[in-house]
Amino acid sequence: MAPFFIDPDIRKAHTLPSNFYTDPAFFELSKERIFARTWQFVAGPELCETLTPVTLLPGMLDEPLLVSSRDGDVRCLSNVCTHRGKVLVENACEANLIRCGYHGRRFSLDGKFLSMPEFEDVNNFPTADDDLKHVPMAECSGFCFASIDPAAPFDDFLGKAADLFDEFEPKNLKLTATKEYEVDAHWALYCENYLEGFHIPYVHKSLNEVVDYGSYTTETFRFSSLQTALSEPGTTVTGFREFPASKNPVATAPGSDKIVAARYLFLFPNLMFNFYPWGISVNVVEPISPSKTRVRFLTYVSDESKLDSGAGADLHGVEMEDEAVVESVQKGIRSRFYSHGRYSPKREQGTHHFHRLIAEYLVD
Ligand code: FES
Ligand SMILES: [Fe+2]
């Protein structure tokens, strides 16, 4: 049964009701219904050791995984010993096999059970249950994703947005900074704020000076959405080549003096890839509780000379402005006088699309 209904017609639709954000039961339900069935960020092109332990979505899924890579063969395995459940690899390392530090069980790099001391008399042993489970994994321009139980293949999640990554060679993307923010708000409030440029003139005064609000567009795909911000004439030093899937008429208009200042790609439910002339800023939204969210910012630079100009120049300042408004909404949605709202058909297609997906995933 569907706990929520979001009308497909944005003109008739109401936003998600406030109990989605305030009732801890929906937060719990989202773990298996939403997060375990979607693709989660594992690592970027910086991954280099043979064995790298990764906790998938700490605080939400908390799933210990192991990325095993050898000669370009990358796999994602369960990082839990099939004997009594110890986590196998605690730190990234070079190795030829995986050995459990508790009772010595050994596995090959592709997760096959190899040997176990003192188990000679055990009946019907080993079986496939003693191998490490393989976890579905996908890769795009050096970015790795995993999913516990994907509702659809990764390529469907990315859809046409895959073209965006073609502009970047993984070897040219250098992870130059990581930063963590803790926001006192529900994870979905943080995401839905990201999904509309409607608030730019009100919340982001400096950003509003470099992007052209009038031509800002949102395109929605099956599991992702893409916002494109064009520059105000003369405000950015450079742009990108045109994104082939874009339907933005201004960007493609011959002789237009506006160029793409930024593209904001959202992969449902919690991944943001922000494309700037200098590279990609990846934001991973990690729910901690119904009222607390951690957001990791990973900065991948391909052209350092463009770091200080345009829409991607002051990401920290923009983040502070977003956090203040999202934390205010967190307080507001608890009000006895607020239950839900309506959408601007012109400016909130991304938020409407996001709410529709949440409602779809929460179905029994
Ligand atoms: S838990 Fe790994 S060998 Fe016992
Ligand atoms: Fe914002």
Side-chain angles (χ1 to χ4, degrees):
M1 211 187 91
F4 305 113
F5 172 71
I6 307 292
D7 201 302
D9 184 343
I10 191 169
R11 296 166 307 168
K12 297 181 183 152
H14 290 79
T15 64
L16 273 177
S18 50
N19 65 331
F20 169 72
Y21 309 92
T22 55
D23 185 343
F26 286 119
F27 185 83
E28 279 304 309
L29 198 62
S30 302
K31 289 186 183 178
E32 300 309 318
R33 296 255 176 95
I34 298 177
F35 288 93
R37 295 168 59 219
T38 47
W39 290 90
Q40 295 299 321
F41 184 82
V42 169
E46 71 280 3
L47 206 66
C48 56
E49 306 280 358
T50 315
L51 293 173
T52 309
V54 174
T55 302
L56 204 64
L57 215 51
M60 190 64 167
L61 293 175
D62 270 324
E63 187 62 47
L65 299 181
L66 184 60
V67 180
S68 154
S69 80
R70 167 67 51 96
D71 306 328
D73 236 355
V74 186
R75 297 180 186 83
C76 190
L77 306 168
S78 164
N79 193 14
V80 174
C81 181
T82 50
H83 177 221
R84 296 242 308 277
K86 185 187 179 302
V87 169
L88 287 164
V89 178
E90 311 268 3
N91 299 304
C93 59
E94 294 297 333
N96 291 320
L97 51 79
I98 303 160
R99 196 172 66 133
C100 180
Y102 200 177
H103 314 96
R105 183 168 290 202
R106 300 187 321 155
F107 306 88
S108 63
L109 292 179
D110 65 358
K112 270 244 158 279
F113 170 93
L114 290 177
S115 67
M116 176 77 189
E118 318 291 349
F119 258 54
E120 291 78 13
D121 300 331
V122 176
N123 289 350
N124 189 26
F125 178 87
T127 70
D129 284 349
D130 299 296
D131 297 335
L132 299 177
K133 294 279 174 295
H134 281 242
V135 178
M137 183 172 199
E139 190 262 336
C140 175
S141 280
F143 293 101
C144 295
F145 304 83
S147 177
I148 309 268
D149 180 21
F154 180 73
D155 287 351
D156 291 3
F157 265 77
L158 203 50
K160 282 190 203 158
D163 294 351
L164 281 172
F165 289 90
D166 292 348
E167 294 182 32
F168 296 93
E169 274 282 322
K171 64 173 181 357
N172 295 339
L173 287 170
K174 300 273 173 296
L175 178 63
T176 60
T178 60
K179 209 170 168 66
E180 281 189 11
Y181 295 94
E182 242 183 49
V183 190
D184 287 328
H186 190 279
W187 65 271
L189 292 179
Y190 185 88
C191 293
E192 61 196 46
N193 169 70
Y194 172 87
L195 286 166
E196 43 90 355
F198 194 12
H199 66 273
I200 291 176
Y202 306 99
V203 175
H204 304 303
K205 297 278 182 281
S206 321
L207 182 61
N208 196 40
E209 283 168 18
V210 293
V211 304
D212 176 44
Y213 179 70
S215 58
Y216 195 96
T217 57
T218 301
E219 296 165 62
T220 57
F221 308 109
R222 177 69 180 91
F223 298 102
S224 60
S225 65
L226 177 67
Q227 298 167 80
T228 302
L230 302 186
S231 64
E232 284 287 7
T235 50
T236 42
V237 291
T238 183
F240 312 84
R241 71 174 170 77
E242 190 44 51
F243 172 44
S246 175
K247 295 185 214 93
N248 193 315
V250 182
T252 53
S256 167
D257 53 357
K258 297 191 170 102
I259 53 173
V260 176
R263 293 192 183 101
Y264 306 106
L265 170 68
F266 180 74
L267 296 185
F268 182 77
N270 63 329
L271 298 180
M272 300 155 181
F273 286 81
N274 308 300
F275 297 83
Y276 299 110
W278 52 256
I280 306 175
S281 166
V282 181
N283 309 153
V284 183
V285 179
E286 299 180 339
I288 300 172
S289 75
S291 56
K292 205 171 259 310
T293 301
R294 179 175 44 238
V295 188
R296 284 195 290 137
F297 274 48
L298 309 165
T299 307
Y300 291 93
V301 177
S302 63
D303 185 347
E304 224 168 302
S305 68
K306 296 172 185 161
L307 262 174
D308 294 326
S309 61
D314 180 24
L315 298 185
H316 177 74
V318 172
E319 174 64 14
M320 291 298 97
E321 292 163 351
D322 278 323
E323 286 188 15
V325 78
V326 168
E327 288 178 349
S328 176
V329 174
Q330 175 72 22
K331 289 185 192 129
I333 47 137
R334 306 199 70 86
S335 162
R336 288 155 193 82
F337 302 109
Y338 181 84
S339 55
H340 52 64
R342 304 291 301 273
Y343 303 97
S344 157
K346 189 171 171 202
R347 296 287 182 186
E348 291 177 295
Q349 307 100 309
T351 304
H352 175 247
H353 175 256
F354 174 63
H355 287 175
R356 299 248 313 138
L357 284 168
I358 287 179
E360 175 187 333
Y361 268 78
L362 289 180
V363 171
D364 221 339

